[in-house]
Amino acid sequence: MKYKLFTLYCLISMTFMCVSTAYVWAKAPDTPKIAFSANHEENRDIYLMDPDGSDQINITQHKALDGWPAWSPTGDQIIFSSNRGGVRDLYLMDADGSNVRKVFGKRADRTQATWAPDGKQIAYRWREPGGSFIYIATIDGKKEEKVALGSSPDWSPDGEEIAFLTGWPELMQITVLNVNTRKQKVFFPKPVKPSWMTSPAWSPSGDKIAFSWLHQVPLVDFADAETIYIINRDGTGLQQVVEEDARATAPVWSPQEDMLLYNHYIRGTQPQIYKIELNGGVPAKRLTNPKFWHSVGDWFDPAFALSVTSQVHLLTTVWIRVKQK
């Protein structure tokens, strides 16, 4: 019995030390930060900025094209897409841009990564000769599974579903995959022809989805009318959020769920990142420099993230219970 307890103690101690050591080097931001991509230095890199657009910092500084940053649930890591290995693929880095490493051993055209709420898995788009597919993989890259035909996946906050796009290029719809059963159902719209959409995004509470939508004929003549909408999880309450004064795409929720970021396109100018409050009455605000190209990525706030300290506390609690037995 003592031998078994000692063995279990060693295993828990090793896990505890690994967790502690990892987080010495990987620390989440102390204040809210927005990750995005931009070409300030004639090259596309990943940047961080404060929610008001200030304190913009390049954290990749690499000659490759880097984009699609997404914060881990604890905020200590960022997953992003880069062609630095010769093929556009997924990479991980610490929140300050250090410790960059590949997720997968074998290269492939992987982009648009989204984290599972527990941080153990990711979903992403894999572009193959037969089209774009949704895959799920463990964060260590050792296990991958093709689960659907589509693009732009976003994992729901409860971990039960993944919203993604199907029907490219002119009959696009938001489809929802049940992660446990692998069953799919069309969420919205059903049916509307034509329909061009981008970037479905679950609200932090999981009761709404934001997305951009264009449904005027012909699509090419009304490209600037694409704008941001919100709909309830049950398919009711469709609401237009941004006026059709310029093309608005790729919505990203604030952790408080009271604002959205989005890409704002005006023909002949560089795309910019805008922020809009959802309670109305306040005009949308541009956060980025119009001299350069920008694309929104993800918004992290430590006040709404899972605490690393609480994770370590769970391990300590387990060991106390073992000793008591």
PDB file of all heavy atoms in Angstrom, residues 174-190:
ATOM      1  N   ILE A 174     -24.319  28.499 -42.352  1.00  0.00           N
ATOM      2  CA  ILE A 174     -23.666  28.113 -41.105  1.00  0.00           C
ATOM      3  C   ILE A 174     -24.194  26.730 -40.725  1.00  0.00           C
ATOM      4  O   ILE A 174     -25.403  26.526 -40.600  1.00  0.00           O
ATOM      5  CB  ILE A 174     -23.963  29.114 -39.978  1.00  0.00           C
ATOM      6  CG1 ILE A 174     -23.432  30.504 -40.341  1.00  0.00           C
ATOM      7  CG2 ILE A 174     -23.312  28.635 -38.670  1.00  0.00           C
ATOM      8  CD1 ILE A 174     -23.820  31.580 -39.354  1.00  0.00           C
ATOM      9  N   THR A 175     -23.283  25.784 -40.573  1.00  0.00           N
ATOM     10  CA  THR A 175     -23.621  24.432 -40.166  1.00  0.00           C
ATOM     11  C   THR A 175     -23.021  24.176 -38.788  1.00  0.00           C
ATOM     12  O   THR A 175     -21.963  24.719 -38.456  1.00  0.00           O
ATOM     13  CB  THR A 175     -23.087  23.408 -41.187  1.00  0.00           C
ATOM     14  OG1 THR A 175     -23.728  23.640 -42.447  1.00  0.00           O
ATOM     15  CG2 THR A 175     -23.351  21.978 -40.757  1.00  0.00           C
ATOM     16  N   VAL A 176     -23.700  23.369 -37.988  1.00  0.00           N
ATOM     17  CA  VAL A 176     -23.227  23.056 -36.636  1.00  0.00           C
ATOM     18  C   VAL A 176     -22.962  21.564 -36.526  1.00  0.00           C
ATOM     19  O   VAL A 176     -23.802  20.735 -36.906  1.00  0.00           O
ATOM     20  CB  VAL A 176     -24.252  23.505 -35.579  1.00  0.00           C
ATOM     21  CG1 VAL A 176     -23.829  23.025 -34.191  1.00  0.00           C
ATOM     22  CG2 VAL A 176     -24.391  25.026 -35.579  1.00  0.00           C
ATOM     23  N   LEU A 177     -21.765  21.234 -36.038  1.00  0.00           N
ATOM     24  CA  LEU A 177     -21.363  19.844 -35.815  1.00  0.00           C
ATOM     25  C   LEU A 177     -21.443  19.525 -34.332  1.00  0.00           C
ATOM     26  O   LEU A 177     -20.881  20.246 -33.509  1.00  0.00           O
ATOM     27  CB  LEU A 177     -19.936  19.622 -36.315  1.00  0.00           C
ATOM     28  CG  LEU A 177     -19.278  18.285 -35.949  1.00  0.00           C
ATOM     29  CD1 LEU A 177     -19.803  17.181 -36.860  1.00  0.00           C
ATOM     30  CD2 LEU A 177     -17.759  18.378 -36.036  1.00  0.00           C
ATOM     31  N   ASN A 178     -22.144  18.439 -33.986  1.00  0.00           N
ATOM     32  CA  ASN A 178     -22.130  17.939 -32.620  1.00  0.00           C
ATOM     33  C   ASN A 178     -20.821  17.177 -32.411  1.00  0.00           C
ATOM     34  O   ASN A 178     -20.562  16.182 -33.090  1.00  0.00           O
ATOM     35  CB  ASN A 178     -23.332  17.022 -32.375  1.00  0.00           C
ATOM     36  CG  ASN A 178     -23.425  16.567 -30.931  1.00  0.00           C
ATOM     37  OD1 ASN A 178     -22.531  15.903 -30.418  1.00  0.00           O
ATOM     38  ND2 ASN A 178     -24.524  16.912 -30.275  1.00  0.00           N
ATOM     39  N   VAL A 179     -19.995  17.648 -31.503  1.00  0.00           N
ATOM     40  CA  VAL A 179     -18.656  17.081 -31.326  1.00  0.00           C
ATOM     41  C   VAL A 179     -18.728  15.629 -30.870  1.00  0.00           C
ATOM     42  O   VAL A 179     -17.879  14.809 -31.245  1.00  0.00           O
ATOM     43  CB  VAL A 179     -17.850  17.923 -30.321  1.00  0.00           C
ATOM     44  CG1 VAL A 179     -16.504  17.270 -30.022  1.00  0.00           C
ATOM     45  CG2 VAL A 179     -17.647  19.337 -30.856  1.00  0.00           C
ATOM     46  N   ASN A 180     -19.717  15.277 -30.083  1.00  0.00           N
ATOM     47  CA  ASN A 180     -19.805  13.923 -29.533  1.00  0.00           C
ATOM     48  C   ASN A 180     -20.367  12.920 -30.533  1.00  0.00           C
ATOM     49  O   ASN A 180     -19.842  11.808 -30.674  1.00  0.00           O
ATOM     50  CB  ASN A 180     -20.666  13.937 -28.263  1.00  0.00           C
ATOM     51  CG  ASN A 180     -20.050  14.781 -27.165  1.00  0.00           C
ATOM     52  OD1 ASN A 180     -18.860  14.686 -26.896  1.00  0.00           O
ATOM     53  ND2 ASN A 180     -20.859  15.615 -26.538  1.00  0.00           N
ATOM     54  N   THR A 181     -21.431  13.289 -31.248  1.00  0.00           N
ATOM     55  CA  THR A 181     -22.074  12.357 -32.168  1.00  0.00           C
ATOM     56  C   THR A 181     -21.574  12.477 -33.601  1.00  0.00           C
ATOM     57  O   THR A 181     -21.813  11.588 -34.423  1.00  0.00           O
ATOM     58  CB  THR A 181     -23.597  12.581 -32.178  1.00  0.00           C
ATOM     59  OG1 THR A 181     -23.881  13.879 -32.729  1.00  0.00           O
ATOM     60  CG2 THR A 181     -24.163  12.491 -30.770  1.00  0.00           C
ATOM     61  N   ARG A 182     -20.897  13.603 -33.903  1.00  0.00           N
ATOM     62  CA  ARG A 182     -20.417  13.930 -35.247  1.00  0.00           C
ATOM     63  C   ARG A 182     -21.568  14.209 -36.222  1.00  0.00           C
ATOM     64  O   ARG A 182     -21.351  14.279 -37.419  1.00  0.00           O
ATOM     65  CB  ARG A 182     -19.521  12.822 -35.818  1.00  0.00           C
ATOM     66  CG  ARG A 182     -18.233  12.575 -35.030  1.00  0.00           C
ATOM     67  CD  ARG A 182     -17.327  13.789 -35.042  1.00  0.00           C
ATOM     68  NE  ARG A 182     -15.967  13.485 -34.646  1.00  0.00           N
ATOM     69  CZ  ARG A 182     -15.448  13.742 -33.439  1.00  0.00           C
ATOM     70  NH1 ARG A 182     -16.215  14.310 -32.524  1.00  0.00           N
ATOM     71  NH2 ARG A 182     -14.204  13.451 -33.166  1.00  0.00           N
ATOM     72  N   LYS A 183     -22.772  14.387 -35.721  1.00  0.00           N
ATOM     73  CA  LYS A 183     -23.902  14.731 -36.581  1.00  0.00           C
ATOM     74  C   LYS A 183     -23.892  16.223 -36.897  1.00  0.00           C
ATOM     75  O   LYS A 183     -23.492  17.045 -36.067  1.00  0.00           O
ATOM     76  CB  LYS A 183     -25.219  14.342 -35.903  1.00  0.00           C
ATOM     77  CG  LYS A 183     -25.422  12.844 -35.778  1.00  0.00           C
ATOM     78  CD  LYS A 183     -26.781  12.524 -35.171  1.00  0.00           C
ATOM     79  CE  LYS A 183     -27.006  11.011 -35.094  1.00  0.00           C
ATOM     80  NZ  LYS A 183     -28.328  10.677 -34.488  1.00  0.00           N
ATOM     81  N   GLN A 184     -24.347  16.563 -38.120  1.00  0.00           N
ATOM     82  CA  GLN A 184     -24.368  17.946 -38.573  1.00  0.00           C
ATOM     83  C   GLN A 184     -25.803  18.405 -38.822  1.00  0.00           C
ATOM     84  O   GLN A 184     -26.665  17.605 -39.183  1.00  0.00           O
ATOM     85  CB  GLN A 184     -23.579  18.108 -39.871  1.00  0.00           C
ATOM     86  CG  GLN A 184     -22.130  17.676 -39.789  1.00  0.00           C
ATOM     87  CD  GLN A 184     -21.443  17.803 -41.139  1.00  0.00           C
ATOM     88  OE1 GLN A 184     -21.731  18.706 -41.922  1.00  0.00           O
ATOM     89  NE2 GLN A 184     -20.518  16.898 -41.412  1.00  0.00           N
ATOM     90  N   LYS A 185     -26.020  19.714 -38.646  1.00  0.00           N
ATOM     91  CA  LYS A 185     -27.312  20.298 -39.003  1.00  0.00           C
ATOM     92  C   LYS A 185     -27.078  21.719 -39.506  1.00  0.00           C
ATOM     93  O   LYS A 185     -26.195  22.438 -39.016  1.00  0.00           O
ATOM     94  CB  LYS A 185     -28.261  20.319 -37.811  1.00  0.00           C
ATOM     95  CG  LYS A 185     -27.792  21.166 -36.638  1.00  0.00           C
ATOM     96  CD  LYS A 185     -28.808  21.143 -35.502  1.00  0.00           C
ATOM     97  CE  LYS A 185     -28.320  21.977 -34.315  1.00  0.00           C
ATOM     98  NZ  LYS A 185     -29.291  21.960 -33.194  1.00  0.00           N
ATOM     99  N   VAL A 186     -27.834  22.119 -40.524  1.00  0.00           N
ATOM    100  CA  VAL A 186     -27.750  23.486 -41.030  1.00  0.00           C
ATOM    101  C   VAL A 186     -28.386  24.412 -40.005  1.00  0.00           C
ATOM    102  O   VAL A 186     -29.513  24.195 -39.555  1.00  0.00           O
ATOM    103  CB  VAL A 186     -28.460  23.618 -42.389  1.00  0.00           C
ATOM    104  CG1 VAL A 186     -28.506  25.078 -42.811  1.00  0.00           C
ATOM    105  CG2 VAL A 186     -27.747  22.787 -43.434  1.00  0.00           C
ATOM    106  N   PHE A 187     -27.642  25.436 -39.636  1.00  0.00           N
ATOM    107  CA  PHE A 187     -28.123  26.368 -38.621  1.00  0.00           C
ATOM    108  C   PHE A 187     -28.808  27.587 -39.245  1.00  0.00           C
ATOM    109  O   PHE A 187     -29.912  27.957 -38.882  1.00  0.00           O
ATOM    110  CB  PHE A 187     -26.951  26.800 -37.738  1.00  0.00           C
ATOM    111  CG  PHE A 187     -27.300  27.865 -36.738  1.00  0.00           C
ATOM    112  CD1 PHE A 187     -28.050  27.553 -35.620  1.00  0.00           C
ATOM    113  CD2 PHE A 187     -26.873  29.168 -36.922  1.00  0.00           C
ATOM    114  CE1 PHE A 187     -28.389  28.534 -34.696  1.00  0.00           C
ATOM    115  CE2 PHE A 187     -27.206  30.152 -36.010  1.00  0.00           C
ATOM    116  CZ  PHE A 187     -27.965  29.835 -34.890  1.00  0.00           C
ATOM    117  N   PHE A 188     -28.134  28.226 -40.238  1.00  0.00           N
ATOM    118  CA  PHE A 188     -28.681  29.443 -40.851  1.00  0.00           C
ATOM    119  C   PHE A 188     -27.894  29.761 -42.115  1.00  0.00           C
ATOM    120  O   PHE A 188     -26.685  29.551 -42.138  1.00  0.00           O
ATOM    121  CB  PHE A 188     -28.568  30.609 -39.860  1.00  0.00           C
ATOM    122  CG  PHE A 188     -29.115  31.906 -40.396  1.00  0.00           C
ATOM    123  CD1 PHE A 188     -30.463  32.199 -40.297  1.00  0.00           C
ATOM    124  CD2 PHE A 188     -28.279  32.820 -41.018  1.00  0.00           C
ATOM    125  CE1 PHE A 188     -30.970  33.387 -40.795  1.00  0.00           C
ATOM    126  CE2 PHE A 188     -28.777  34.011 -41.524  1.00  0.00           C
ATOM    127  CZ  PHE A 188     -30.123  34.295 -41.415  1.00  0.00           C
ATOM    128  N   PRO A 189     -28.539  30.333 -43.155  1.00  0.00           N
ATOM    129  CA  PRO A 189     -29.992  30.406 -43.370  1.00  0.00           C
ATOM    130  C   PRO A 189     -30.494  29.145 -44.052  1.00  0.00           C
ATOM    131  O   PRO A 189     -29.704  28.401 -44.602  1.00  0.00           O
ATOM    132  CB  PRO A 189     -30.118  31.602 -44.295  1.00  0.00           C
ATOM    133  CG  PRO A 189     -28.867  31.565 -45.119  1.00  0.00           C
ATOM    134  CD  PRO A 189     -27.780  31.018 -44.216  1.00  0.00           C
ATOM    135  N   LYS A 190     -31.772  28.950 -44.070  1.00  0.00           N
ATOM    136  CA  LYS A 190     -32.322  27.761 -44.716  1.00  0.00           C
ATOM    137  C   LYS A 190     -33.712  28.035 -45.293  1.00  0.00           C
ATOM    138  O   LYS A 190     -34.687  28.111 -44.550  1.00  0.00           O
ATOM    139  CB  LYS A 190     -32.366  26.581 -43.767  1.00  0.00           C
ATOM    140  CG  LYS A 190     -32.732  26.851 -42.326  1.00  0.00           C
ATOM    141  CD  LYS A 190     -32.638  25.577 -41.520  1.00  0.00           C
ATOM    142  CE  LYS A 190     -32.799  25.853 -40.042  1.00  0.00           C
ATOM    143  NZ  LYS A 190     -32.763  24.658 -39.217  1.00  0.00           N
TER     144      LYS A 190
END
